[in-house]
């Protein structure tokens, strides 16, 4: 499937506007294209108990997965950062589990971009094979 990254980034920007960030004031948006051609949005959703905060990347992938859309084609993430946004470690692990080779577009509002994958973002990532080893 041909990926319109400009459109996916535009969706991520729209999702970013919906972020709930009373604590950090740092809004992040994500959009994931699935095999059926649908786009699912994600935004960060914070919490007064700070560690409970949900990131945009996990929000988007969970929205798609919950709708039964488990085959991902591409993911775009955007924030108001000096360069392309860097996903947190928890999101790197989360993406690595569900789609290690998913094309990921990291961007900022000025549309500086970086194309990468969860595998590249999380070298030597912990995977299910690691658990199975002791069975
Ligand atoms: N955040 C994301 O949603 N994605 C990222 O890639 C980086 C961090 C959120 C978590 C928190 O709500 C805020 O940004 C500041 O860390």
């Amino acid at each position: 499937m041909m990926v319109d990254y400009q459109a996916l980034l535009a969706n991520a920007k729209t999702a970013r506007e919906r972020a709930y960030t009373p604590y950090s004031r740092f809004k992040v948006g994500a959009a994931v294209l699935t095999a059926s051609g649908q786009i699912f949005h994600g935004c960060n959703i914070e919490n007064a108990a700070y560690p409970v905060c949900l990131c945009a990347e996990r929000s988007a992938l969970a929205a798609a997965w919950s709708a039964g859309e488990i085959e991902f084609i591409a993911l775009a993430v955007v924030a108001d950062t000096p360069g392309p946004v860097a996903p947190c470690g928890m999101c790197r692990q989360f993406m690595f589990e569900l789609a290690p080779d998913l094309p990921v577009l990291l961007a900022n509002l000025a549309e500086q971009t970086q194309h990468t994958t969860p595998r590249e973002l999380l070298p030597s990532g912990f995977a299910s094979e690691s658990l199975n080893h002791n069975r």
Side-chain angles (χ1 to χ4, degrees):
M1 188 189 299
M2 274 293 294
V3 179
D4 183 346
Y5 281 101
Q6 275 307 115
L8 201 57
L9 180 51
N11 274 273
K13 286 184 174 182
T14 297
R16 180 181 166 275
E17 295 300 321
R18 304 187 192 121
Y20 172 68
T21 58
Y23 307 107
S24 74
R25 304 269 171 215
F26 182 75
K27 292 177 181 290
V28 185
V32 61
L33 172 67
T34 64
S36 70
Q38 293 182 73
I39 291 175
F40 291 84
H41 287 181
C43 60
N44 53 333
I45 300 172
E46 299 189 338
N47 194 280
Y50 295 173
V52 177
C53 291
L54 175 63
C55 291
E57 296 90 326
R58 282 176 287 135
S59 165
L61 294 179
W65 193 280
S66 307
E69 294 288 316
I70 63 173
E71 199 182 324
F72 307 135
I73 305 298
L75 171 74
V77 191
V78 68
D80 188 7
T81 34
V85 62
C88 81
M90 190 181 281
C91 286
R92 289 175 196 225
Q93 181 69 35
F94 193 92
M95 294 188 288
F96 186 71
E97 172 84 22
L98 299 183
D101 298 305
L102 179 68
V104 174
L105 177 69
L106 304 176
N108 63 7
L109 290 184
E111 306 211 357
Q112 288 179 292
T113 57
Q114 177 190 346
H115 286 269
T116 186
T117 65
R119 197 183 298 285
E120 190 174 77
L121 289 167
L122 191 70
S124 310
F126 187 82
S128 60
E129 303 84 71
S130 315
L131 291 173
N132 293 339
H133 178 73
N134 287 323
R135 288 201 187 143

